[in-house]
Amino acid sequence: MPTGIYQPSNQIKLTNVSLVRMKKGKKRFEIPCYKNKVLEWRSGVEKDLDNVLQIPNVFLNVSKGQVAPHEDLKKAFGHTKVDDIVLEILNKGEIQVGEKERGAQLDRVNREVVDIVAGKLVDPKTKRVYTAGMIEKALDQLSTQSAQQHDSNKGSASGTATPTKNGETKEAGEGLKALPKWTGVSTTKSAKSQALEAMKALIAHQPIPVARARMRLRITCPTQILKQSVKAAPKKDASEESVEEQKGTVKDRVLSYLEQVESQDVLGEEWECVGFVEPGAYKSLMDLIGTQTKGRARAEVLDMAVIHEGD
């Protein structure tokens, strides 16, 4: 006769679980997910729902195994389609994680953000990249400044204002509101989008001298098109200076977007140029090539971020 303790066959033991909760219709609904998979789903990295959900069902209390009745689902969501409700909770619900897990997530996202930023920004004088440690220190400085500015604005809410030359008053920190701010990483947004915010803040505030790394392009265009004048649609409020800037040949305008020309050559009836362009000017250059050459010229990205490593 077999001996031992057996676990009931209808009891499901959940391990490595992360809960996503949503309060709706005075009820709190939960779905059990695998740890670290919810953020990957929301950022688009994970696309297989089976790798995210531990159980494809809606619960009132996961730890007690209390499944949400259809009546509660109907009242809160307006229908009882479990698959649709699961997706709504997964996409919009609040992720419940412990302090240890939350700290690990923040560290992971912070490393990803710093690595992305360190690969995209350079010292504008030397064109060399900064170490991840220097980038992280600069971001910490911006985060501290943002926190201090927030506290200062809260203190000035009592009515304290700075007088100006014209006798008008200006609230403390009003001039800084237009600049991008950095308040630290978050686990609710992707590392890529946060890295973009971090770069904007670093470039705006310059805690260390930084600039976007340049893109290296190869541009090819038929020689007969290069000599053509740029055809620009006149603007109603265009000034004489802006009209002057629109004049010139196609070649002149293309070269005006390049910060540095590495090489130029004519191969048969085709002009080839390799040069560097700031990422912010890339779209305008592509628009110029598209409109002025009617697709006969091409711009090929050779390197997305040209940087110079330190010695």
Side-chain angles (χ1 to χ4, degrees):
M1 182 175 180
T3 60
I5 299 175
Y6 295 91
Q7 181 177 314
S9 59
N10 62 342
Q11 181 179 347
I12 300 174
K13 186 177 180 180
L14 297 177
T15 59
N16 191 33
V17 66
S18 179
L19 300 181
V20 181
R21 294 172 175 168
M22 175 180 284
K23 190 174 183 181
K24 200 164 186 177
K26 298 182 180 181
K27 291 279 187 178
R28 189 183 69 181
F29 301 94
E30 301 177 343
I31 56 173
C33 303
Y34 291 103
K35 289 185 178 180
N36 304 324
K37 285 297 182 179
V38 178
L39 292 178
E40 291 183 6
W41 170 269
R42 291 183 177 181
S43 64
V45 175
E46 179 61 66
K47 299 184 183 298
D48 189 346
L49 198 58
D50 292 335
N51 293 334
V52 181
L53 298 174
Q54 291 212 20
I55 300 177
N57 207 344
V58 183
F59 294 79
L60 293 179
N61 191 310
V62 170
S63 61
K64 294 181 180 180
Q66 186 179 358
V67 178
H70 280 197
E71 295 79 10
D72 291 348
L73 296 178
K74 178 70 174 180
K75 186 176 180 180
F77 296 92
H79 60 86
T80 58
K81 297 178 180 178
V82 175
D83 291 344
D84 293 343
I85 295 173
V86 165
L87 281 176
E88 182 176 347
I89 297 175
L90 180 61
N91 292 325
K92 300 179 181 179
E94 180 182 354
I95 306 173
Q96 302 296 314
V97 294
E99 288 299 324
K100 186 176 180 180
E101 185 182 1
R102 185 178 292 107
Q105 287 180 351
L106 283 173
D107 288 342
R108 177 178 57 81
V109 175
N110 185 68
R111 286 195 300 270
E112 291 180 13
V113 169
V114 170
D115 288 343
I116 294 173
V117 174
K120 298 292 185 181
L121 296 184
V122 295
D123 185 318
K125 290 185 178 180
T126 64
K127 306 300 181 185
R128 298 182 186 278
V129 294
Y130 286 102
T131 63
M134 295 180 70
I135 293 294
E136 187 170 15
K137 186 176 180 180
L139 289 175
D140 288 342
Q141 182 179 338
L142 289 183
S143 179
T144 301
Q145 289 177 354
S146 295
Q148 292 174 346
Q149 183 63 43
H150 178 70
D151 293 339
S152 176
N153 289 342
K154 287 177 65 177
S156 65
S158 59
T160 305
T162 304
T164 62
K165 293 182 179 179
N166 298 327
E168 300 175 351
T169 59
K170 184 178 181 180
E171 294 295 333
E174 184 179 337
L176 298 177
K177 290 182 179 180
L179 294 177
K181 292 183 179 180
W182 176 252
T183 56
V185 297
S186 168
T187 58
T188 59
K189 294 189 291 186
S190 69
K192 186 175 180 181
S193 65
Q194 293 185 79
L196 183 59
E197 295 174 4
M199 286 189 283
K200 289 180 179 178
L202 286 170
I203 292 172
H205 296 276
Q206 295 286 316
I208 55 176
V210 292
R212 288 289 298 267
R214 301 176 301 174
M215 299 172 66
R216 185 166 176 260
L217 306 178
R218 178 191 290 119
I219 302 170
T220 54
C221 180
T223 54
Q224 60 184 21
I225 293 179
L226 291 177
K227 301 176 182 179
Q228 296 178 0
S229 298
V230 173
K231 301 175 183 178
K235 297 181 180 179
K236 294 181 181 180
D237 56 347
S239 62
E240 293 183 4
E241 290 184 3
S242 63
V243 174
E244 273 303 314
E245 290 177 358
Q246 294 173 0
K247 292 182 179 179
T249 63
V250 171
K251 181 180 180 180
D252 293 335
R253 290 299 306 279
V254 169
L255 291 177
S256 70
Y257 283 101
L258 300 182
E259 186 183 76
Q260 178 185 344
V261 175
E262 185 178 284
S263 65
Q264 287 190 71
D265 201 1
V266 176
L267 305 174
E269 297 182 352
E270 194 169 66
W271 173 71
E272 180 180 288
C273 176
V274 176
F276 302 91
V277 62
E278 293 288 342
Y282 175 71
K283 184 178 185 301
S284 298
L285 174 60
M286 294 302 294
D287 289 342
L288 172 73
I289 292 175
T291 56
Q292 299 298 326
T293 70
K294 297 181 180 180
R296 297 183 63 186
R298 301 183 304 277
E300 177 187 359
V301 178
L302 301 178
D303 290 297
M304 283 298 295
V306 179
I307 54 180
H308 297 271
E309 298 289 350
D311 295 333

